[in-house]
Amino acid sequence: MMNEKNYGYGVDDNSYKAAGELAGITLLVDEFYNNMSVFTEAKKIRDMHPSDLTESRTKLAYFLSGWLGGPRIYAAAFGSLSIPSAHQHLPVGEEESEAWLHCMQKALENQPYEETFKVYLINQLRVPAERIRAVCARNI
């Protein structure tokens, strides 16, 4: 039986709140990018990013804010976004997609989120990861 705390992810701003709003999302994103720099299996995807990750961190946090049902601050700061189109120039295949998800999974494990939300979120993140992989496959 689900309790009130973990019920309704994906509805209204429930996921945004479960992630700790922008402050919690920022902590997740910071750990994610730290993981990308640490895990050897993530070297290829880390090398696809600039050496200074400040803007990348902000963009991902702002994107996740709206994607999780919170304020849609990405568009106000950076303009409209199509996740697959923004990545279509990169050589992202199965290995790179799984490395990205691995870095995010490890970042999620260290957040103070409900376990049910961690499972929900990594499963939801597989959708854009797969879309990116699908449009980038021809670059490999």
Side-chain angles (χ1 to χ4, degrees), residues 35-48 99:
N35 289 345
M36 193 184 291
S37 296
V38 170
F39 297 138
T40 56
E41 62 267 29
K43 182 178 179 358
K44 285 183 186 177
I45 58 173
R46 175 60 184 94
D47 289 348
M48 292 178 197

Side-chain angles (χ1 to χ4, degrees), residues 51-73:
S51 58
D52 179 356
L53 291 170
T54 303
E55 186 173 284
S56 298
R57 290 172 189 261
T58 301
K59 283 182 170 183
L60 183 54
Y62 283 16
F63 168 77
L64 289 174
S65 172
W67 190 71
L68 291 171
R72 298 187 179 279
I73 52 181

Side-chain angles (χ1 to χ4, degrees), residues 3 7 19 43 62 71 98 100 105:
N3 65 35
Y7 180 73
K43 182 178 179 358
Y62 283 16
E98 287 302 316
W100 191 96
Q105 175 69 49

